[in-house]
Amino acid sequence: MQPNETLEIARLALEGKPSDVRLYIAKLVRKARRTDPDYASKLEALLKSETSRSNGVLRKGRHPEQEIPEKLELALLRRYHGAPVAAPLLDSAVSDQLQQILMERRHASQLALKGLSPASALIFQGPPGVGKTMTAGWLAQQLDLPLYVLDLTAVMSSLLGKTGSNLRSVLDYAKSHPCVLFLDEIDAIAKKRSDDSDVGELKRLVNVLLQEIENWPDQGLLVAATNHPELVDPALWRRFDLDVTFSLPNDENIKKAVIEFLGDDRVEFTNYLDLLADSLRGESYSNIKRAIYKLRKMKLINPEGFENFGIQQLIPNIDTLSRQERITLAVKLVSQHAFPKQRAAKLLGVSRDTIRKKLGENE
């Protein structure tokens, strides 16, 4: 370490700036990796140790034995207990990434022999309703770890000047024991530092996250999620071990989701499975679930009403369909779902003769 580097660390420590001290040390670690890997590893180990994170010199007025205040923990962190989480419906690429995470955990000791460690910080990106939160819960269940969700809105609402320290306190608490910490909508506080619309207080939060994520303990797992990856600070993005991209369900997974959400009522909807899958193409899992539950309740409470009006909710917006698509759908309703020709013709704006002709061609 150069004399000027030592002086800089001493200055930041004596000024009571723990986050800046740790950021500076992390910078030295990255620099040393190129010239002295052994020294870099030792320095990085100090950063990850409990001692360095709770040292009284760096934390004014805070003793090592003082954990996060109970009222702050309750305000900012939610711990989830509940029924077992079913395996989320995901495409094969995402499933493979999740299995890789679990395999690394199961073979952590073998990895350690080679100086490697399992992934400890992940970021989930994708549109709303595609299973990011559910997957975090499922991972916690598979790892047999408690799941904490950090209320970023509460962090943002902290007293001005306290947000950074409150965030660090909560992150330190999550680091103090093995757990899965889920940071939903991380873009709310981790925007690009070049974004002039954010005040300095929010930009300091990015610095806190940069340090904490890079040194997340191997025994735990930090999972961040965003619907707007373009807003997240690139420097923060690079700190994550794995980027998992969630997409809207494909046709195969839509049908699986429909069947799963129908539950015990699947038999009642057997003739409508293909129509349901067609009508829900392009929707998220949460929207599919909402639509299916609505139809199940309608059919249970008012069977006659379902026959008259419920089926109309399964038909895509007719205005967006071409004439040929309307004809194809009308024929499907009649041939596969016992729809009267007159009703199918009226719903889709095609003539009964056209439907009759197409049915004759298909026979």
Side-chain angles (χ1 to χ4, degrees):
M1 183 183 295
Q2 300 298 319
N4 63 319
E5 294 171 339
T6 304
L7 287 172
E8 181 64 12
I9 290 176
R11 181 185 68 78
L12 294 172
L14 293 172
E15 289 178 358
K17 298 179 178 178
S19 62
D20 291 340
V21 171
R22 296 167 70 173
L23 281 171
Y24 192 77
I25 294 175
K27 178 181 177 182
L28 295 180
V29 169
R30 292 192 292 274
K31 178 181 176 182
R33 281 176 182 154
R34 296 191 294 269
T35 57
D36 192 344
D38 184 58
Y39 168 69
S41 296
K42 293 177 180 178
L43 195 58
E44 186 174 18
L46 285 174
L47 270 178
K48 292 183 177 182
S49 69
E50 286 296 324
T51 304
S52 66
R53 288 192 285 108
S54 60
N55 190 284
V57 173
L58 297 183
R59 301 290 181 87
K60 290 183 179 179
R62 184 178 179 185
H63 300 290
E65 66 273 11
Q66 288 180 313
E67 293 296 342
I68 180 173
E70 184 177 357
K71 61 180 181 180
L72 184 58
E73 174 191 344
L74 294 175
L76 302 181
L77 274 181
R78 298 192 302 271
R79 178 169 179 169
Y80 280 83
H81 307 270
V85 181
L89 292 170
L90 303 168
D91 62 44
S92 58
V94 173
S95 294
D96 289 346
Q97 287 180 295
L98 298 180
Q99 290 303 319
Q100 174 69 22
I101 294 165
L102 298 177
M103 288 291 290
E104 289 180 9
R105 294 292 169 135
R106 297 186 185 111
H107 296 84
S109 57
Q110 293 174 255
L111 295 175
L113 293 175
K114 295 290 186 179
L116 302 172
S117 57
S120 59
L122 321 174
I123 186 163
F124 292 170
Q125 62 166 305
V130 291
K132 299 188 293 294
T133 302
M134 181 184 294
T135 300
W138 180 80
L139 278 174
Q141 178 179 278
Q142 296 300 304
L143 297 171
D144 195 24
L145 296 176
L147 171 67
Y148 293 107
V149 176
L150 178 58
D151 188 342
L152 295 176
T153 302
V155 172
M156 298 279 286
S157 300
S158 302
L159 293 175
L160 188 63
K162 297 284 188 180
T163 52
S165 61
N166 284 350
L167 177 61
R168 188 181 290 282
S169 294
V170 174
L171 294 177
D172 276 350
Y173 174 77
K175 281 184 170 185
S176 70
H177 59 287
C179 68
V180 174
L181 177 63
F182 184 59
L183 308 179
D184 198 9
E185 299 183 19
I186 195 173
D187 48 272
I189 63 172
K191 292 183 179 180
K192 297 176 181 177
R193 284 168 290 180
S194 59
D195 188 344
D196 296 331
S197 66
D198 285 329
V199 297
E201 182 71 14
L202 298 186
K203 293 179 181 179
R204 283 192 287 274
L205 292 180
V206 177
N207 290 333
V208 172
L209 288 171
L210 283 170
Q211 177 61 38
E212 297 295 334
I213 292 174
E214 186 169 39
N215 297 295
W216 201 260
D218 298 339
Q219 295 78 13
L221 184 65
L222 182 144
V223 182
T226 177
N227 302 333
H228 304 285
E230 71 282 357
L231 299 180
V232 178
D233 191 294
L236 183 69
W237 200 276
R238 291 192 294 270
R239 297 301 196 277
F240 291 101
D241 300 318
L242 190 63
D243 171 6
V244 182
T245 300
F246 291 71
S247 304
L248 292 172
N250 56 25
D251 289 350
E252 179 182 356
N253 281 343
I254 289 174
K255 194 159 187 177
K256 288 181 180 178
V258 167
I259 292 172
E260 179 175 314
F261 297 141
L262 282 173
D264 295 338
D265 293 333
R266 177 184 175 184
V267 175
E268 299 289 329
F269 286 83
T270 299
N271 292 334
Y272 299 109
L273 287 179
D274 289 339
L275 184 58
L276 282 166
D278 288 345
S279 68
L280 294 168
R281 186 177 290 117
E283 296 291 344
S284 67
Y285 288 112
S286 61
N287 285 344
I288 293 172
K289 182 178 181 179
R290 189 178 300 114
I292 297 299
Y293 278 21
K294 181 179 180 180
L295 290 170
R296 288 177 65 185
K297 288 185 283 187
M298 181 183 294
K299 189 170 181 62
L300 177 65
I301 296 170
N302 186 7
E304 292 183 1
F306 176 83
E307 293 301 325
N308 291 328
F309 305 109
I311 194 65
Q312 296 183 36
Q313 298 187 40
L314 304 179
I315 300 176
N317 187 348
I318 295 174
D319 294 337
T320 66
L321 300 179
S322 67
R323 182 173 184 277
Q324 186 56 49
E325 287 173 330
R326 293 200 304 273
I327 293 172
T328 300
L329 184 53
V331 171
K332 182 184 290 187
L333 287 174
V334 173
S335 61
Q336 297 181 17
H337 307 299
F339 234 62
K341 296 185 184 66
Q342 183 175 0
R343 187 176 168 201
K346 184 177 181 180
L347 277 174
L348 293 161
V350 297
S351 69
R352 281 183 293 172
D353 288 341
T354 299
I355 297 174
R356 192 179 298 112
K357 180 180 177 181
K358 288 293 181 181
L359 287 170
E361 292 175 355
N362 294 336
E363 292 178 355

